[in-house]
Amino acid sequence: MIDFARVQKELVECSKDAEGSGIKVSPKTDNLVLLIGTIPGPLGTPYEGGVFHIDITLPDGYPFEPPKMQFATKVWHPNISSQSGAICLDILKDQWSPALTLKTALLSVQALLSAPQPDDPQDAVVAQQYLKDYQTFVSTARYWTESFAKASSCGIEDKVQKLVEMGFPEAQVRSILEAVGGDENLALERLL
Amino acid sequence: MSMSTRVCKFYARGRCLKGEQCDFYHERKDDICPYFQKGSCAYGSRCRNKHIIKASQPSPLASSSANGRPSHFSDSVVGHAGKGISNWVPKAAKLSSPDRRVRTSQRKQTASVRNGDVGESSTSSAISSAHLFCTFAAANCPLGDKCSRIHGNQCLYCRKFCLHPTDRKEKENHLRTCDKKEKYLQALKDSQEIECNVCLERVLSKPKPSDCKFGLLPECDHAFCLSCIRNWRNSAPTSGMDINNAANTVRTCPVCRKLSYFVIPSGIWYSTTEEKQEIIDNYKANCKLIDCKHFNSGNGNCPFGASCFYKHTVKPGSYTWIHHRPPPQRRQNNFSMYEMLDMLSEVDLSSAEYYSIMRGLDFFDDMDPFEMMAVSDRLAGGSGPCFGPFDSDDEDMNFFRMAALSEALASGVDDFDPEDFDDEAFDPMETALISMMMQSNMEDEEDEEDSDEDY
């Protein structure tokens, strides 16, 4: 049985500190089993500037079993499958501890982005490239970040800019854009 | 009416936070084992409730019909008589009784304490002494000098006028218990704030009173509720982990990953290491009073041996009493016999070696020696079961077969010591098997400690 009281607490705790860490967790559905986590790409890495979404599924035994986490955003990283987004991280497997939370787990994933472990790879192709041709790895990772992890958010920034210039308040623009899934025209209709 | 004759309403609803330090009467219905009343209790000496036959009380229905009184009245009378401390006197009687006589009887009682009569009387006077005192200070008592009770000095801790004016021993006694109460309450107050690191809730504010308990780890100072830490330690290892690793991961502190071998239940959190040690010592002392379910008064085999927390009493006539050693383990551990056979078949050994391993491990206790011989032959690549004792040229083989056969024939498996022919070199496979067994034994320990009764 999932301890929903704890999940609720974690979500509140996480939203309190969302500004500082940039890590967000929000429920996908009403039942708090499927969640979506968001982490910013760490600075000084090819993932800088990207915003990565992670699908979280809470198993029945949570918090005594680790949450299942998978990248929804495509990432080029030795420990993350470029196909499925599966993450190879010990604390999500045998090193899980019930004292860890969704937020700390996401922080660890973020740390994994900045410190790849090519000796224990999830994606052998990426790991090979990381070890043999680091420059190509960096440029590929950066290219993937640009094309998959930035598109929506960057686009949203542009749209927000546009709509704000039309004379709408920024906060309202942001919330409506989020609600309509980033569609500029729909948002404009709503705003009018 | 004195406080301790009034029933604690918190206790009645499940849990009084003050525990034993509560001033009100804790009516423990559960104290007396209901199963023992009916004839037999499955827990026997391990039962946490008292095994005494309740004195037969007149059934309320019968008494009410006999006396024509409302039943609750007669009940309450019976209840007071049963407690044996009828410490309040009806007002009319109190006023009319010449208080000199009351005073002298009190003096006699305290005198008997002073004379060093430490047994029964001192405890009974300790119980009743609280009720000898008037609730008012001497100056404020409406009865004035006519009051039948003692006018004590005010206690600094409980603010009651219950410090004996003359008896120093009484006074110190009271101050000591009050000090202890005060400390306990302070600890309880501090414990209210402590959050469990797993469920992130305040342990003492959990909805179910039975969950309001801490689980202390001896090796570190991280707070958990008892149910959370036990849940974690009993949780199934995540698939794909090897067993040794998994067992140790769940036995570590979730926060600092320090390995602790047992969990101590406690109603309060501690602030100093001395307090923690006291809680641990109390827990162990309490465990020592309960018979070990594995040892089973000498009829079982306790995997912890001498280091077991629970009481090992050898009952006359039990296995250990007769044979001077515990019976062989007959418990199936984590591995079944067939899994073990599969594992054994992976290594290349002679049939004698196989036999010796199988004989030494209790996974194969259920097999009879003939079957063991047959299996060891088959494992060693032999063509099939071979019962002829002298069909091999090898000297050692002959010895093995003779030993095995004589054992099989005697079928007194327990009288045969495996060490008698266990003369082969120490084998890595065997060490591995033994270490696995030890591992599963350790899990048993966990099991035992975690399934114990709460105090």
Side-chain angles (χ1 to χ4, degrees):
Chain A
M1 200 45 222
I2 303 178
D3 186 351
F4 284 116
R6 171 175 152 147
V7 180
Q8 198 82 52
K9 269 207 178 117
E10 282 187 36
L11 293 183
V12 171
E13 201 58 41
C14 200
S15 65
K16 260 191 214 162
D17 194 33
E19 291 295 307
S21 60
I23 289 175
K24 277 178 242 159
V25 185
S26 48
K28 230 179 183 177
T29 51
D30 316 336
N31 63 5
L32 288 182
V33 174
L34 298 174
L35 306 161
I36 191 138
T38 314
I39 54 170
L43 302 180
T45 65
Y47 311 102
E48 186 177 339
V51 174
F52 298 89
H53 296 286
I54 295 168
D55 277 330
I56 305 169
T57 312
L58 298 182
D60 238 14
Y62 186 81
F64 300 108
E65 283 172 40
K68 293 187 174 68
M69 288 192 180
Q70 207 169 21
F71 268 88
T73 312
K74 283 172 93 66
V75 194
W76 192 252
H77 187 281
N79 305 103
I80 299 158
S81 166
S82 56
Q83 301 300 312
S84 65
I87 307 166
C88 180
L89 185 60
D90 59 351
I91 63 146
L92 295 178
K93 296 186 172 80
D94 55 344
Q95 290 301 307
W96 170 253
S97 137
L100 293 167
T101 61
L102 293 173
K103 189 185 157 188
T104 52
L106 286 173
L107 268 171
S108 300
V109 173
Q110 194 186 25
L112 182 72
L113 286 183
S114 44
Q117 308 286 322
D119 301 329
D120 182 20
Q122 173 78 25
D123 196 312
V125 179
V126 186
Q128 279 296 318
Q129 193 189 53
Y130 182 91
L131 289 172
K132 291 205 172 124
D133 190 356
Y134 185 72
Q135 280 315 309
T136 320
F137 164 79
V138 170
S139 54
T140 318
R142 191 165 288 140
Y143 176 72
W144 278 46
T145 308
E146 291 294 334
S147 38
F148 301 115
K150 267 186 184 163
S152 60
S153 68
C154 189
I156 277 185
E157 281 309 312
D158 280 346
K159 287 169 202 163
V160 167
Q161 195 68 37
K162 239 185 212 172
L163 290 167
V164 168
E165 275 166 15
M166 284 176 175
F168 299 109
E170 190 180 331
Q172 196 189 354
V173 168
R174 273 184 199 281
S175 66
I176 285 178
L177 264 177
E178 214 163 284
V180 297
D183 192 312
E184 200 184 329
N185 293 329
L186 269 176
L188 192 58
E189 262 174 45
R190 286 251 194 126
L191 284 165
L192 294 169
Chain B
M1 196 165 181
S2 148
M3 298 260 257
S4 67
T5 57
R6 270 158 61 182
V7 175
C8 175
K9 59 180 177 181
F10 297 101
Y11 191 84
R13 267 189 281 167
R15 195 188 140 85
C16 168
L17 280 178
K18 292 185 179 178
E20 282 170 16
Q21 313 289 331
C22 183
D23 275 335
F24 293 89
Y25 178 56
H26 279 186
E27 192 179 41
R28 299 182 66 167
K29 284 189 191 124
D30 302 338
D31 240 358
I32 298 170
C33 175
Y35 297 98
F36 189 76
Q37 302 297 311
K38 286 178 195 160
S40 71
C41 168
Y43 286 107
S45 57
R46 285 184 281 116
C47 184
R48 71 168 112 169
N49 295 325
K50 280 182 192 150
H51 277 185
I52 45 167
I53 300 284
K54 235 190 290 183
S56 58
Q57 286 185 6
S59 81
L61 204 81
S63 68
S64 70
S65 63
N67 303 340
R69 274 192 208 145
S71 62
H72 64 87
F73 183 76
S74 66
D75 258 354
S76 72
V77 169
V78 170
H80 273 288
K83 262 179 252 157
I85 345 162
S86 58
N87 34 46
W88 60 282
V89 196
K91 247 192 183 135
K94 196 161 58 183
L95 285 175
S96 62
S97 74
D99 53 275
R100 188 172 294 170
R101 209 169 54 199
V102 179
R103 287 263 167 94
T104 47
S105 80
Q106 281 168 2
R107 236 172 261 149
K108 263 183 205 157
Q109 206 171 13
T110 44
S112 78
V113 179
R114 228 175 280 148
N115 288 343
D117 198 356
V118 207
E120 282 266 298
S121 72
S122 82
T123 50
S124 71
S125 81
I127 293 166
S128 58
S129 69
H131 315 303
L132 295 173
F133 293 100
C134 180
T135 42
F136 296 100
N140 300 336
C141 184
L143 296 174
D145 286 343
K146 282 189 182 143
C147 183
S148 63
R149 302 185 184 195
I150 302 171
H151 286 132
N153 297 325
Q154 192 177 23
C155 168
L156 284 172
Y157 295 106
C158 62
R159 313 235 158 244
K160 283 185 228 156
F161 297 93
C162 53
L163 287 185
H164 206 286
T166 50
D167 191 342
R168 252 190 68 207
K169 211 171 163 187
E170 260 316 299
K171 187 176 156 184
E172 277 166 13
N173 239 343
H174 175 85
L175 283 174
R176 212 177 302 126
T177 45
C178 248
D179 185 44
K180 227 172 132 188
K181 266 188 207 178
E182 187 85 358
K183 274 192 185 142
Y184 180 85
L185 281 176
Q186 189 55 45
L188 197 66
K189 219 167 110 192
D190 296 343
S191 312
Q192 297 288 344
E193 301 289 318
I194 306 283
E195 278 180 6
C196 167
N197 276 302
V198 173
C199 60
L200 310 177
E201 281 176 64
R202 287 183 184 178
V203 177
L204 295 182
S205 313
K206 296 195 94 175
K208 253 170 70 186
S210 58
D211 287 345
C212 298
K213 226 167 209 186
F214 293 97
L216 274 54
L217 295 177
E219 300 300 329
C220 67
D221 296 327
H222 294 110
F224 305 99
C225 27
L226 188 61
S227 48
C228 282
I229 190 72
R230 280 188 172 164
N231 253 334
W232 168 238
R233 290 169 79 93
N234 287 334
S235 65
T238 323
S239 55
M241 293 157 75
D242 80 291
I243 292 153
N244 286 333
N245 220 336
N248 278 339
T249 307
V250 297
R251 289 150 75 82
T252 56
C253 167
V255 179
C256 65
R257 298 188 193 270
K258 255 192 192 157
L259 188 64
S260 286
Y261 287 101
F262 52 92
V263 177
I264 304 113
S266 168
I268 54 164
W269 191 247
Y270 54 88
S271 46
T272 60
T273 39
E274 289 83 40
E275 276 172 45
K276 182 182 182 180
Q277 197 52 47
E278 197 184 326
I279 294 171
I280 296 177
D281 290 344
N282 277 340
Y283 171 67
K284 285 188 178 172
N286 277 329
C287 282
K288 263 278 166 264
L289 299 176
I290 299 170
D291 276 313
C292 172
K293 63 177 176 184
H294 294 302
F295 192 72
N296 193 15
S297 306
N299 284 319
N301 192 335
C302 175
F304 317 107
S307 58
C308 181
F309 282 2
Y310 292 87
K311 192 165 71 177
H312 282 191
T313 7
V314 179
K315 228 170 38 192
S318 63
Y319 189 98
T320 313
W321 196 72
I322 297 167
H323 299 271
H324 297 288
R325 64 186 168 89
Q329 284 189 11
R330 293 207 175 269
R331 303 172 58 226
Q332 292 267 320
N333 281 314
N334 278 1
F335 312 99
S336 76
M337 188 170 77
Y338 297 100
E339 280 172 33
M340 195 58 94
L341 280 175
D342 275 350
M343 283 156 71
L344 278 175
S345 66
E346 306 267 303
V347 286
D348 192 28
L349 295 171
S350 77
S351 57
E353 282 164 332
Y354 279 123
Y355 184 86
S356 164
I357 289 172
M358 287 165 69
R359 184 63 192 80
L361 298 178
D362 27 67
F363 299 105
F364 304 101
D365 265 1
D366 298 335
M367 259 190 190
D368 71 309
F370 277 119
E371 206 179 343
M372 272 196 221
M373 273 169 72
V375 172
S376 42
D377 265 348
R378 206 174 64 227
L379 285 172
S383 50
C386 177
F387 298 111
F390 300 111
D391 61 350
S392 167
D393 295 327
D394 193 313
E395 275 289 309
D396 285 348
M397 282 300 268
N398 278 342
F399 172 72
F400 148 66
R401 291 201 174 279
M402 258 156 61
L405 196 70
S406 67
E407 186 194 353
L409 292 174
S411 75
V413 180
D414 293 325
D415 297 356
F416 192 86
D417 197 343
E419 260 132 53
D420 283 355
F421 71 107
D422 197 3
D423 52 357
E424 59 181 337
F426 210 50
D427 172 81
M429 180 65 194
E430 200 168 10
T431 358
L433 288 175
I434 287 166
S435 76
M436 266 186 234
M437 281 171 60
M438 305 253 287
Q439 191 59 51
S440 46
N441 279 350
M442 303 248 284
E443 273 157 35
D444 287 340
E445 175 166 18
E446 176 63 29
D447 207 84
E448 181 185 10
E449 249 98 64
D450 278 4
S451 62
D452 60 28
E453 279 127 324
D454 303 327
Y455 298 94

